[in-house]
Amino acid sequence: MASRKVFTFSSNTYSFIYRLLDLCVLLGSLPVAAWLYGLTIEREYIIASLVVSVAFLYIAESFALYRSWRVGHFSEMVLSAWACISVAFFIAVMIAFLLKQSEEFSRVTVVLWFALSFIFSFLWRAVQRQYIRARHRAGFNIKRVAIIGATNSGSELLSEIRKRDELGYKVVGIYEDRHPRRVTDDLNMDVVGKIEQVIKLARNGQVEMLFIALPLKAEKRIADILLRLGDTTVDVHYIPDFLVSTLIRSRFANVGDIDTLSVFESPYLGAKEWVKRTEDIIISSIILCLISIPLIMIAAGIKLTSPGPVLFKQRRYGLRGEEIVVWKFRSMSVMENSDTVTQATKGDPRVTRFGSFLRRTSLDEFPQFFNVLAGSMSIVGPRPHAVAHNEQYRGQVRYYMLRHKVKPGVTGWAQINGWRGETDTLDKMKNRVEFDLHYIKNWSVWLDIKIIFLTIIKGFTNPNAY
């Protein structure tokens, strides 16, 4: 019996060449740096270059650096490469420090090596990008594409193609069987013909790629179009409608010979779970070392300004909706942890004077780094809500409990985008959940680092935290 596995994963055709170029950059930048500084490369530098290269390749896989960037942002690609280089050098420096070998290296040479790696990694990507653009403008490697369906998803696709000349796509037209009056004007799509016409173009080789942007409910129409395109050589892609693109993580799997499509699933699959946990342990350990003295000072401030314990523990839902205990510095004169929890509001009399300062600056969250180290929380993730609030909103906000496909975080995508503090209206909670689900759907190590840096820059004070 023939296998029924019909789906494959998208990859970058030239990923091996790109990996090789980056390795050449890392290994080649060292002798250039040594030559500029007038240094002779010794055995320890060769070992260091191998350590940096291995660490870089590992981090690059975690960042998905070599995925297809044909439809990606050039700036994001460069920043991802720089982030991988930075982490690789940091690992090498830490190893040298722990092994007491750091004195064997010239600091100037290492800094030059690091800087040249940044410059050369950017240069080869910039040259490649300009080369591809020049070829497209000269008419080489241009793909004639057509879109079936004058829909919202088709309109968004058309907009992306128009503003990205690096794609090398030339749209020959939009094709739709519905009457023009049924196509809304705000889509900014000019329908040039019926679906039958574009099928004929595909059969004649006048179209190389077809995007089907019909809603999933038009299953019979889609099946008929695919059947008729089966005797052509055109590449066919389906653009998910709003419902499908909102729910799925676009990952195909198999149960034996049966294909399955993930709908609700954790983003931490396979080695990614280990990468995420490693990230949490390293960052939380560093942060706890840095804030050890402030922790003692805050604890003393709480004791001196109000009666009661220093820490406050609250029941929250964690990974998979399992109940966990989250630690915070006490900022109120009462400690509510029942089935009914009243959120703090502006001028709330329950909040102590010192507690108000802690809440505005997020210093009351510091003990949660111990939760991260223990494994019940993560550095980055959806903020944990009180159990009472979870039970209140899970029936009011769609897909609310999907937040628990990952561990709750000390900071998150919603918080750095302003959805922090009091959620006194249903709309505020809906917006927070929307940002949380965006994080889960688009998780990467790079996104975590971005959120951490943005939290440092603007996350310590917030007018919405009372």
Side-chain angles (χ1 to χ4, degrees), residues 149-432:
T151 60
N152 287 323
S153 54
S155 177
E156 291 174 2
L157 173 66
L158 181 61
S159 176
E160 286 294 308
I161 291 174
R162 284 173 172 168
K163 68 183 182 182
R164 298 184 190 280
D165 56 358
E166 68 267 23
L167 296 176
Y169 291 162
K170 180 182 179 181
V171 179
V172 300
I174 315 298
Y175 297 84
E176 173 67 73
D177 282 346
R178 292 180 299 168
H179 193 279
R181 292 178 183 174
R182 296 181 60 191
V183 180
T184 57
D185 295 333
D186 58 350
L187 290 180
N188 192 27
M189 301 178 75
D190 295 324
V191 177
V192 300
K194 302 291 185 180
I195 296 176
E196 178 64 31
Q197 292 175 256
V198 75
I199 292 177
K200 289 180 180 178
L201 292 176
R203 284 175 176 162
N204 295 332
Q206 295 174 274
V207 173
E208 299 167 273
M209 185 177 292
L210 265 175
F211 291 97
I212 300 176
L214 298 176
L216 194 60
K217 63 183 180 182
E219 179 182 358
K220 291 184 178 179
R221 291 177 65 201
I222 296 172
D224 179 65
I225 292 169
L226 293 176
L227 182 63
R228 299 172 69 186
L229 291 170
D231 62 348
T232 73
T233 58
V234 68
D235 294 336
V236 182
H237 297 262
Y238 175 71
I239 310 300
D241 59 15
F242 174 77
L243 176 63
V244 177
S245 63
T246 300
L247 298 183
I248 68 172
R249 289 191 45 77
S250 301
R251 191 185 77 89
F252 293 107
N254 306 95
V255 179
D257 287 335
I258 304 299
D259 296 310
T260 64
L261 175 65
S262 64
V263 178
F264 302 136
E265 185 179 52
S266 170
Y268 313 139
L269 299 171
K272 291 181 180 179
E273 183 177 3
W274 184 84
V275 170
K276 178 70 170 175
R277 183 62 185 142
T278 303
E279 170 194 322
D280 286 336
I281 292 174
I282 293 174
I283 296 177
S284 62
S285 299
I286 294 173
I287 291 175
L288 284 171
C289 289
L290 294 175
I291 66 173
S292 56
I293 295 177
L295 286 174
I296 296 172
M297 295 173 65
I298 292 170
I302 294 172
K303 270 296 184 184
L304 294 172
T305 55
S306 64
V310 169
L311 296 176
F312 166 53
K313 61 180 181 179
Q314 190 175 41
R315 294 183 299 117
R316 306 284 174 96
Y317 284 156
L319 183 64
R320 295 182 293 272
E322 298 172 358
E323 196 170 289
I324 62 173
V325 174
V326 174
W327 294 92
K328 296 179 69 173
F329 279 125
R330 182 177 59 82
S331 58
M332 291 186 175
S333 55
V334 299
M335 295 192 295
E336 295 180 347
N337 198 22
S338 62
D339 293 336
T340 302
V341 177
T342 304
Q343 288 186 310
T345 58
K346 190 172 184 179
D348 197 316
R350 299 173 300 164
V351 180
T352 65
R353 182 174 298 179
F354 188 58
S356 177
F357 164 75
L358 295 179
R359 296 173 74 91
R360 287 197 311 273
T361 56
S362 298
L363 297 177
D364 61 324
E365 313 285 359
F366 273 8
Q368 289 172 25
F369 290 110
F370 288 106
N371 284 105
V372 175
L373 201 58
S376 60
M377 289 182 65
S378 182
I379 294 292
V380 181
R383 287 292 298 149
H385 298 156
V387 171
H389 294 150
N390 264 33
E391 296 304 323
Q392 175 187 350
Y393 288 113
R394 66 188 299 177
Q396 297 177 296
V397 180
R398 290 189 306 170
Y399 314 124
Y400 179 89
M401 290 301 289
L402 294 184
R403 303 171 75 251
H404 300 291
K405 286 294 181 181
V406 299
K407 293 178 183 179
V410 178
T411 185
W413 184 243
Q415 282 61 48
I416 64 169
N417 281 282
W419 299 108
R420 174 176 174 262
E422 184 185 12
T423 51
D424 54 341
T425 67
L426 187 59
D427 284 341
K428 286 184 179 180
M429 181 58 76
K430 286 181 178 178
N431 284 320
R432 179 181 290 188

Side-chain angles (χ1 to χ4, degrees), residues 2-258:
S3 173
R4 294 178 56 197
K5 295 182 180 180
V6 297
F7 301 112
T8 57
F9 293 96
S10 175
S11 62
N12 192 331
T13 306
Y14 300 101
S15 60
F16 172 77
I17 297 175
Y18 296 162
R19 286 180 174 88
L20 187 60
L21 284 170
D22 277 330
L23 282 179
C24 289
V25 164
L26 291 173
L27 295 173
S29 296
L30 176 57
V32 174
W35 175 76
L36 289 173
Y37 191 60
L39 184 77
T40 302
I41 296 179
E42 303 291 344
R43 174 174 171 271
E44 58 267 17
Y45 284 96
I46 297 175
I47 295 174
S49 67
L50 293 176
V51 171
V52 169
S53 298
V54 172
F56 172 82
L57 289 176
Y58 170 77
I59 299 299
E61 295 305 316
S62 303
F63 276 62
L65 180 61
Y66 299 108
R67 68 181 183 272
S68 176
W69 292 92
R70 183 179 177 91
V71 292
H73 295 278
F74 176 74
S75 59
E76 183 182 350
M77 175 177 64
V78 172
L79 288 174
S80 295
W82 285 351
C84 293
I85 293 172
S86 300
V87 175
F89 269 87
F90 175 77
I91 291 173
V93 169
M94 290 301 296
I95 291 175
F97 174 77
L98 292 173
L99 296 179
K100 298 182 179 180
Q101 297 294 315
S102 56
E103 296 299 324
E104 303 294 326
F105 297 92
S106 162
R107 290 175 175 80
V108 175
T109 302
V110 172
V111 170
L112 279 174
W113 179 19
F114 178 70
L116 289 172
S117 297
F118 261 50
I119 294 170
F120 292 150
S121 67
F122 168 78
L123 285 177
W124 81 252
R125 286 176 168 85
V127 169
Q128 180 219 24
R129 185 191 190 206
Q130 293 304 318
Y131 171 74
I132 291 173
R133 279 187 163 183
R135 283 184 58 82
H136 288 162
R137 287 168 183 162
F140 296 102
N141 199 26
I142 297 295
K143 285 199 171 186
R144 298 184 301 274
V145 306
I147 300 174
I148 294 178
T151 60
N152 287 323
S153 54
S155 177
E156 291 174 2
L157 173 66
L158 181 61
S159 176
E160 286 294 308
I161 291 174
R162 284 173 172 168
K163 68 183 182 182
R164 298 184 190 280
D165 56 358
E166 68 267 23
L167 296 176
Y169 291 162
K170 180 182 179 181
V171 179
V172 300
I174 315 298
Y175 297 84
E176 173 67 73
D177 282 346
R178 292 180 299 168
H179 193 279
R181 292 178 183 174
R182 296 181 60 191
V183 180
T184 57
D185 295 333
D186 58 350
L187 290 180
N188 192 27
M189 301 178 75
D190 295 324
V191 177
V192 300
K194 302 291 185 180
I195 296 176
E196 178 64 31
Q197 292 175 256
V198 75
I199 292 177
K200 289 180 180 178
L201 292 176
R203 284 175 176 162
N204 295 332
Q206 295 174 274
V207 173
E208 299 167 273
M209 185 177 292
L210 265 175
F211 291 97
I212 300 176
L214 298 176
L216 194 60
K217 63 183 180 182
E219 179 182 358
K220 291 184 178 179
R221 291 177 65 201
I222 296 172
D224 179 65
I225 292 169
L226 293 176
L227 182 63
R228 299 172 69 186
L229 291 170
D231 62 348
T232 73
T233 58
V234 68
D235 294 336
V236 182
H237 297 262
Y238 175 71
I239 310 300
D241 59 15
F242 174 77
L243 176 63
V244 177
S245 63
T246 300
L247 298 183
I248 68 172
R249 289 191 45 77
S250 301
R251 191 185 77 89
F252 293 107
N254 306 95
V255 179
D257 287 335
I258 304 299

